[in-house]
Every structure is written in structure tokens, then in C-alpha cells.
Amino acid sequence: MKILAVIPARAGSKGVPNKNIRLVNNKPLIYYSIKNAIDSRYITDIVVTTDSPEIEVIAKQMGVGYKHRRAELCGDSITLDSVIYDVAKDCACDYVVTMQPTSPTLRAETLDHAIEYAINNNLDTVISVINQPHLSWREENGKKVPNYRERLNRQYLPAQYNETGAFVVSRREIVTEKTRIGEKIDVFEVSEEEAVDIDNFADLHYVETILQNKKVAIYVNGNNKRGIGHVYRALELADEFYTKPDIYYDINQTDVRVFGRTTHNLIGVDGIGELLNLAREKQYDIFINDILTTSIDYMIALRQAIPKAKLVNFEDDGEGIYKADLVINALYQNSELNYVKTGEDYYISSKLFMFYEPIQIRDSVQKVFISFGGADPQNYSDRLLKIIAQDKYADKQFVVVLGRAKKNIEELMAYNQFKNIEVLYDIANMPEIMTSCDVAVTSRGRTGYELAVLGIPAFAMAQNQREEKHGFVSNENGFTYIGLNPSDHIIESTLDLYLSLSKEERQAFQDKLLSHDLRNGRKRVMGLINSL
């Protein structure tokens, strides 16, 4: 069976001058239609019909046929039917596929499915459409009337198919100077992304964004030992891409519930072998690891599975960093490797925190915020609750937030019996709780950065030896750091100190905390990733 693709491409375009040869993602616009025709499993012959010398050169360079369009076929009033027929009449073929050069996001696989649909159903014509049901109106006898009987949500409205212009598949014998539409006609639905038809500059900009989109994967794990800050960051990162990344996690290390109510693509894998197999199958452009420690063997295997991908590691303290393209570690303060970016400049703040201003320093401390991240492996929450349950703290308010991976939740919730203590579990709006407080107690991880964003004076302790290396939560940056696993006496005495701090002393702490540009770390990180 012979199938002819005809790509009509005039030189003139009034809305977007030189539209068909404009560079879109570094390729001429017409390149994409020609490439789809070349990649099709069914198209046997390709002809570009044009009055443009530049387009003829592009067709020649891509190895396809071209036909110089006569002047009488180039006018604004000339129908596309006569242009297509001018090419088809000289070709012996079974089907003619009209492919507009203004649909660069169409995929060859979709085009082939449409051709198969036309052949298998013995159709004269198949037209590309997008299903766009909307509440719409029409004019009837001078009045505006609705095209619906009752107002429904979009998903419950009847289908409304709008032509996209991406392709028209026609049986050869029905193609004439006046039509490409036969009696047996149907439509073929394409996705919203593939349905773009460039008519103006806004369409060009949108298409550029689509074509530059990269296939992204994130591999992340979190639990009560490792903490779940990695999971929080992975979800924040996922929201920064103009695509929906695949988020992988190891079912042996991570409970899917720690991801909360996200609608991102969560994919559980049973070990590294399954992860590598899926990565090899999908061939990502960017692969992000947020698993705390990577080995050289793992990174080499990942590189072999997806050789064209850029590999980005977060907070990686393993030897695998030597095989990464980019390493981001906001918790460490320096690195000798130029592709390892360290320090608070690369902290990714939660979107929620962007909506809150720093707290106003009050005359005295009235309320204390206490939280040790998602897991709290040192059980600092337990120890602080025992301390603040003493009668001497009855005139102060305390709010203690427990994370998703914390154990013995029910036991700690019992402290809610104290009028001045509020114990909360896995809250949705952390900055709302934080900004109601005057000072805080935390560990040396993500929560310290969050408190700094809001300018809340805090003292901190490390959860493990790794956290001891985290440099931002330190005295010089506006915190009071009291070490790894300090005694209850040191914790209590430091709490007493913070409760007695004057307004001026707390203001000095806040000034130091706010001197760091933590709110723009997200932009800096995404700039580095997108520049790979």
C-alpha cells in the first residue's frame, strides 16, 4: 500500500511572518511535520508543496520531495483542497495524508494510529480533532442561547470535537480540487498537547515550552531513620517542571503514605534492579536522586541504563557524587568540586512558606514551637514534652508538631491534657503554626531553614552524626546550636534562656536569620537543572 504525505507550506504568513521557517526549539517549524512523515511506519512518499526557496532547501536537506507551487495556488482565497490535489494527481497512491507544518507537537505514533484507523475501518476520510467540551452559547434569531440543557462540570458535558489541522487522512480517489472529504468520514482524537495549531506568537511560545519539556524522573526514599525531608523536597521539585515527573521510591524502604495526598506519578519499585529496568525502558532526560547516599556502582549502572540523561543528586554524601552531572547540598557549606553546589543559596523552601511574612518580634515570649522533622529518631519530642510538662512552664504556651514518620504518636498525644501544651500530628499548614510562635526548638535539618525563612529565633540539636556536619543551623547564622544528643539539663537550661530573651535580643537573632536569601533558592536550583 502506498501512502502519500503532502505538506503545504507557503512562504507568506501575515500573523507570524516567516512562520514555517521560524526556529522552534532550534529547528525550523516545518521540520517537525517532515520528521513525523519520515518516522511514520506507513507513509511511503513525502512531498512538500511551497513557493518558498528556503522551505525547498529544508525539504531537500531532509531528503524528501518538494514541488514548487504555482502563483495561482498561493492566494489567500485558494482552498487547501486544490493545493493537495495539485500534488496528488501526479502520484499513484492509496491514501493522501495532509500534514500541516503548524502542528509541531504531533507525534508520529499518533499519526500512524490515525492511518491505521482509516484503513482498518475502510474510511474515506479521518480528521484530527481534540475533545474540548465547554459550556458554550450560540446566536439564534438574534438572541444568545446556550448549547446545553443544564450546567454541568466539564467532565460530564457531551463530547465536542474541534478540528486541529494536524492531519487529514483521505482515500486517494476522493481527493479533488474541491474536496478531500468523502462520505465515510470519522474523526481521530489527539491529546491536548498534540493538538496545538500555531496561529499566533502566543502559540509559538507555548509550543517552544512543550518541545523543550524533558522527561524527568525522581528517585526518593524517606523513613523514620532517614527522615522524610527528602520526600518533601522531591514533591516541591516535581511541581517546578512543566511536565509530570515519575517519582520512584523503594517499597522496602518507604511507606507510600509519607507522600501524603499528592497527585504526582508515584511508582514503587522492589529494589534497584527494577528501578534501572524502568529507567532503561523510559529513557529519561533528567534523573534526580534524593536518597541521601549513592554508590559509584549504582551511579555507573544508572548511567549505562540512561546514557543520555543528566544525573542530579541531592544531599548526597556518598561516592556516587563523582559520577553525577550536578549535586545540590544546601546543608553543607563548601565543596572543592565545581559541579557540587553547597550552602543555603540552594535551599528549596516549601511553596506555603512563600505566602507568609516573617513574624513580628513581641515584647516577651508567649508561645514556643517545637518540632524535629518527620521522623525524630532521637525522640527529642518525647524529651521536650516531659520537660515542658513541669509546673514552672504553666504560664507559657507550647505547640509540638510530630511528623509523618514519628513512632508512639498516641502516647505523645496524651500530653494534650495539659492546658498549655498542644500536640499536633502531620499538619498541613506548618507556617501557620510557626508564625503564631515567638521562639522555637528544632533539629538541624529542613525545619531550621523554615524557621529562618520566617525569622523565628530558635535553638537546635543534631539528630545524628550526619546532621552535625550541617552548617547552616549554627550560632553565626542566628541559631543556638547545642550539639548531638545533649542532656536534658542542657536542653532545659537553653529553653529557659530562650524564654527569658528580651525583645532586643530576639530581634538581633531575627536580623541574622533574615540576612540569608532563602526564598529564592528554588529559582537558583531550577536554573542549574534546566541549564544542564
Side-chain angles (χ1 to χ4, degrees), residues 351-358 429-433 435 453-454 519:
K351 290 183 291 297
L352 270 181
F353 283 81
M354 301 301 184
F355 301 119
Y356 286 80
E357 296 296 324
N429 193 347
M430 184 73 91
E432 182 73 18
I433 302 298
T435 51
V453 167
L454 300 175
R519 293 176 181 258

Side-chain angles (χ1 to χ4, degrees), residues 216-503:
V216 181
I218 301 174
Y219 179 43
V220 61
N221 283 308
N223 50 49
N224 64 322
K225 291 184 178 180
R226 181 175 307 185
I228 57 175
H230 306 276
V231 171
Y232 293 141
R233 178 172 47 239
L235 294 174
E236 291 291 338
L237 273 174
D239 282 348
E240 288 299 310
F241 293 98
Y242 291 103
T243 185
K244 203 170 182 178
D246 290 334
I247 301 179
Y248 293 96
Y249 64 96
D250 192 318
I251 60 174
N252 305 297
Q253 303 180 49
T254 303
D255 186 332
V256 68
R257 289 175 293 182
V258 302
F259 289 95
R261 297 169 60 184
T262 182
T263 58
H264 279 292
N265 298 326
L266 302 179
I267 304 172
V269 295
D270 188 4
I272 294 299
E274 185 176 355
L275 173 70
L276 294 175
N277 287 335
L278 288 170
R280 187 178 296 108
E281 177 184 325
K282 297 196 176 185
Q283 288 302 307
Y284 296 101
D285 300 298
I286 296 175
F287 195 100
I288 297 172
N289 292 294
D290 201 342
I291 54 175
L292 188 59
T293 302
T294 63
S295 68
I296 286 183
D297 289 343
Y298 163 72
M299 292 295 288
I300 290 175
L302 186 60
R303 181 78 70 185
Q304 291 173 343
I306 43 177
K308 294 182 180 180
K310 297 298 183 180
L311 307 184
V312 182
N313 293 5
F314 275 84
E315 287 181 18
D316 189 354
D317 61 1
E319 294 183 346
I321 65 171
Y322 296 106
K323 297 297 181 180
D325 296 295
L326 175 65
V327 179
I328 304 288
N329 196 330
L331 298 176
Y332 291 175
Q333 295 303 298
N334 51 65
S335 171
E336 296 178 356
L337 303 172
N338 60 8
Y339 63 90
V340 178
K341 307 300 180 182
T342 60
E344 63 267 17
D345 282 349
Y346 304 103
Y347 164 68
I348 298 176
S349 177
S350 165
K351 290 183 291 297
L352 270 181
F353 283 81
M354 301 301 184
F355 301 119
Y356 286 80
E357 296 296 324
I359 67 167
Q360 295 293 317
I361 300 297
R362 292 189 280 203
D363 291 337
S364 62
V365 175
Q366 300 169 23
K367 192 172 184 179
V368 181
F369 174 85
I370 299 173
S371 182
F372 297 95
D376 187 15
Q378 288 287 345
N379 291 321
Y380 286 139
S381 301
D382 311 49
R383 295 167 63 184
L384 258 298
L385 282 166
K386 288 181 180 178
I387 291 171
I388 62 178
Q390 298 178 75
D391 290 341
K392 71 173 184 175
Y393 296 112
D395 63 337
K396 300 294 182 182
Q397 294 295 313
F398 297 88
V399 56
V400 181
V401 178
L402 309 177
R404 292 178 192 166
K406 186 73 174 82
K407 304 292 185 180
N408 67 320
I409 295 296
E410 291 185 5
E411 174 188 340
L412 299 184
M413 283 291 185
Y415 281 91
N416 279 309
Q417 65 182 301
F418 292 86
K419 293 182 179 180
N420 65 322
I421 298 176
E422 184 179 18
V423 184
L424 303 173
Y425 170 68
D426 188 25
I427 62 173
N429 193 347
M430 184 73 91
E432 182 73 18
I433 302 298
M434 286 181 172
T435 51
S436 69
C437 301
D438 300 292
V439 296
V441 189
T442 190
S443 52
R444 231 179 174 192
R446 174 191 178 95
T447 308
Y449 284 89
E450 294 171 343
L451 292 166
V453 167
L454 300 175
I456 302 174
F459 71 91
M461 51 206 89
Q463 291 274 15
N464 46 49
Q465 291 182 343
R466 175 175 53 83
E467 273 198 5
E468 286 189 290
K469 302 175 185 177
H470 298 176
F472 178 70
V473 179
S474 60
N475 296 348
E476 58 266 33
N477 288 331
F479 296 87
T480 299
Y481 174 55
I482 59 175
L484 169 63
N485 198 19
S487 67
D488 287 354
H489 173 71
I490 292 177
I491 294 174
E492 184 174 338
S493 60
T494 309
L495 174 62
D496 292 341
L497 170 66
Y498 263 68
L499 292 175
S500 65
L501 287 175
S502 68
K503 180 179 181 180

Side-chain angles (χ1 to χ4, degrees), residues 48-188:
V48 177
T49 169
T50 183
D51 60 337
S52 164
E54 292 86 355
I55 291 176
E56 289 182 2
V57 169
I58 294 170
K60 182 178 180 180
Q61 290 296 313
M62 294 187 71
V64 301
Y66 58 89
K67 182 173 184 177
H68 186 79
R69 195 187 306 183
R70 305 188 310 275
E72 57 266 31
L73 290 176
C74 294
D76 291 339
S77 62
I78 300 300
T79 67
L80 204 54
D81 297 317
S82 58
V83 174
I84 302 302
Y85 177 74
D86 182 59
V87 177
K89 64 183 175 59
D90 299 324
C91 298
C93 59
D94 300 285
Y95 283 88
V96 178
V97 182
T98 305
M99 298 178 61
Q100 296 276 26
T102 52
S103 299
T105 55
L106 178 71
R107 296 185 299 118
E109 295 90 342
T110 303
L111 176 63
D112 281 346
H113 290 324
I115 294 172
E116 289 173 357
Y117 186 73
I119 295 171
N120 294 339
N121 292 279
N122 196 29
L123 297 169
D124 292 329
T125 308
V126 171
I127 301 175
S128 62
V129 298
I130 180 174
N131 183 15
Q132 292 181 316
H134 286 284
L135 294 172
S136 60
W137 294 64
R138 68 183 184 278
E139 188 169 315
E140 189 175 284
N141 299 325
K143 290 184 177 182
K144 306 298 190 300
V145 295
N147 286 324
Y148 52 86
R149 292 183 178 180
E150 58 179 320
R151 297 185 69 86
L152 299 171
N153 289 338
R154 181 177 175 182
Q155 63 267 34
Y156 300 116
L157 290 171
Q160 179 174 314
Y161 297 112
N162 298 327
E163 295 186 23
T164 71
F167 56 78
V168 176
V169 181
S170 308
R171 197 188 301 275
R172 166 63 188 89
E173 53 263 32
I174 62 96
V175 176
T176 70
E177 291 180 283
K178 296 183 178 181
T179 188
R180 290 163 292 148
I181 309 300
E183 292 184 2
K184 297 177 64 177
I185 185 171
D186 204 347
V187 297
F188 191 88

